Amino acid sequence: MTEPGDEVTAAVRGRLRASHVDRERVIDTLKAAFVQGMLTKDEFDARVGQTYTSRTYAELAVLTADIGTALTGTRSPRHPIHPAGAGALDSSQNKVVNAAACVMLAILVLNTAFLAGNAGVFFSAVATIAVALLVAGARMRHSRNQKRSRGQHQP
């Protein structure tokens, strides 16, 4: 069911140029449909060829319109995962990078305080890091509980 204005948004978005990542996503959808027997080898080959020549989201959407994204378990080309382009990190990669940066910073602070011989700074750094870990753990648990309550938890 569409909301008022969805048609206009879809029309505008359909004219936007598709990226290489969007084309690869459509090819993944076509591969899944081929594996599930929804496309013959000739249909698959023809659609893959058309995918590489498609320039807009609308052209890509036509290639997978009869397949149905719910059946293949893939995403529609109209909903890119990486809106910033092919080099963008997804959210799980961002979380790993952020966590690694925080650990490195904590190690740097602890080493600096320890090497400076200032026990007060060292122990306050340890206490601050412990509190930060508790807060991070509580936020992760809260986020997980919210996803579960919305039915979005994946095993």
Side-chain angles (χ1 to χ4, degrees):
M1 185 166 217
T2 60
E3 297 289 322
D6 284 352
E7 295 84 9
V8 174
T9 304
V12 170
R13 181 142 177 103
R15 288 183 293 211
L16 293 177
R17 292 187 60 109
S19 69
H20 180 69
V21 173
D22 298 317
R23 288 183 195 88
E24 291 298 322
R25 195 171 299 115
V26 169
I27 289 173
D28 290 342
T29 301
L30 295 173
K31 284 179 187 177
F34 176 69
V35 167
Q36 292 179 13
M38 299 174 75
L39 295 174
T40 66
K41 177 72 171 135
D42 292 334
E43 288 174 319
F44 173 74
D45 291 339
R47 290 185 190 202
V48 167
Q50 290 173 333
T51 300
Y52 286 118
T53 60
S54 296
R55 298 201 181 274
T56 64
Y57 284 107
E59 291 171 351
L60 290 177
V62 168
L63 297 172
T64 58
D66 62 330
I67 294 172
T69 57
L71 295 175
T72 60
T74 58
R75 294 179 65 99
S76 166
R78 292 180 283 170
H79 302 288
I81 293 174
H82 306 296
L89 298 175
D90 68 16
S91 64
S92 63
Q93 290 170 325
N94 278 335
K95 290 176 184 174
V96 170
V97 170
N98 288 342
C102 288
V103 168
M104 296 294 286
L105 182 62
I107 290 171
L108 179 68
V109 167
L110 289 175
N111 281 336
T112 302
F114 183 75
L115 292 175
N118 190 339
V121 172
F122 178 77
F123 287 116
S124 64
V126 168
T128 302
I129 291 169
V131 170
L133 287 173
L134 288 172
V135 170
R139 289 188 66 182
M140 287 174 22
R141 186 168 182 88
H142 177 71
S143 174
R144 183 176 178 191
N145 288 340
Q146 289 225 318
K147 285 181 182 178
R148 277 187 176 174
S149 68
R150 288 189 304 243
Q152 295 178 359
H153 179 69
Q154 298 174 355

